[in-house]
Amino acid sequence: GDRLGNILSLRNKGAHIIAGNGTYIRHGYMYASITGQVMAAVKDDDKSAESDGNNTWIVSIQQSQQQQPQSAYAKASTSICPQVGSVILGRVTRVVRPSYAVVDIIAIVHTESTNGQSSALKQQPYIIPFHEPFAGTLRQNEIRPQSAIELEISDCLRPGDVILARIHALGGEKEYILSTAETELGVVKATCESSGYDLVPVSYKEMECPVTKVKEGRKVAKPRAAA
């Protein structure tokens, strides 16, 4: 996406910047992941500090109504819709080497703190399925923490895998940009290509067939602690 500014230089001047809908921060710069109008607003709980000039600003992209991602179900019901920061359950439908995977977002995973980071996943979640799947994209550099461009995507996930992912940003083609970089995100269910049996996790990067003992590479989601 288009680069919006250098976050580190703004922070050195006393400004605090948070990425909102349609924006994300990488290597000290803020980028836009969708087209639209750039908007900046003072964070609600920070408005009392407006006089000292050290406000926390949320920068986001406002889309027109026609641009916003929607499924057929979302048109009829706006009460359940994925949001940036939400943890979702998805099914990988296609892997496009070497750059990205296409994911059907089939459910949202709620916890007591939906927009929290990985600590929220340690709480007991409950799943709300969608009537219609939403479109998601998992890019190569969002699969593992600090993943390099040389990472082989087929060693991390394959078509048919069920994954836990976090919505990182809104995409430009009515899709959601996903991330599995947190340890508790990644593949939670996969099938052995040779035997058809469900694979069993044996490490953070491998799963094993219980029958043939064949190992396959995956970005495995760390099991959540019981509540």
Side-chain angles (χ1 to χ4, degrees):
D2 293 338
R3 193 165 74 181
L4 302 179
N6 188 324
I7 301 303
L8 296 179
S9 66
L10 291 173
R11 286 174 177 169
N12 289 337
K13 296 177 182 178
H16 302 281
I17 308 297
I18 297 176
N21 288 344
T23 65
Y24 62 96
I25 296 173
R26 182 174 294 281
H27 302 308
Y29 289 90
M30 177 171 285
Y31 295 85
S33 60
I34 57 176
T35 58
Q37 184 178 0
V38 180
M39 307 291 289
V42 177
K43 190 177 179 183
D44 288 342
D45 59 6
D46 203 47
K47 288 183 178 179
S48 60
E50 287 184 1
S51 59
D52 62 16
N54 294 324
N55 299 324
T56 298
W57 292 85
I58 301 175
V59 179
S60 58
I61 304 294
Q62 182 177 353
Q63 292 181 286
S64 65
Q65 197 66 29
Q66 291 80 6
Q67 291 176 303
Q68 294 177 359
Q70 276 192 325
S71 71
Y73 177 63
K75 294 177 182 178
S77 173
T78 58
S79 60
I80 303 177
C81 186
Q83 302 291 330
V84 173
S86 298
V87 175
I88 61 90
L89 191 68
R91 182 179 292 109
V92 178
T93 59
R94 187 160 55 100
V95 173
V96 181
R97 298 180 181 177
S99 53
Y100 67 95
V102 179
V103 179
D104 275 351
I105 300 173
I106 57 178
I108 190 167
V109 181
H110 273 286
T111 62
E112 293 179 10
S113 178
T114 306
N115 293 324
Q117 294 302 311
S118 58
S119 60
L121 291 176
K122 296 178 181 178
Q123 304 173 31
Q124 188 64 34
Y126 59 96
I127 296 173
I128 300 178
F130 298 120
H131 287 198
E132 291 272 340
F134 289 82
T137 298
L138 180 56
R139 296 170 179 169
Q140 182 185 38
N141 60 356
E142 292 292 348
I143 294 177
R144 294 187 185 277
Q146 301 177 344
S147 57
I149 194 67
E150 293 82 9
L151 178 141
E152 179 59 52
I153 194 168
S154 61
D155 288 338
C156 300
L157 43 86
R158 300 182 188 180
D161 288 356
V162 177
I163 65 170
L164 279 175
R166 192 178 296 278
I167 296 178
H168 182 58
L170 295 177
E173 296 294 331
K174 295 185 177 181
E175 65 179 2
Y176 291 91
I177 307 301
L178 306 176
S179 171
T180 58
E182 298 168 47
T183 58
E184 291 161 334
L185 303 178
V187 177
V188 294
K189 186 178 186 299
T191 303
C192 178
E193 292 185 349
S194 58
S195 70
Y197 283 86
D198 286 347
L199 296 173
V200 177
V202 293
S203 72
Y204 72 94
K205 62 179 181 179
E206 282 188 322
M207 302 181 85
E208 182 181 74
C209 176
V211 177
T212 65
K213 302 303 179 181
V214 171
K215 293 181 180 179
E216 297 183 10
R218 293 294 194 280
K219 196 288 183 184
V220 181
K222 179 182 177 181
R224 296 187 298 277

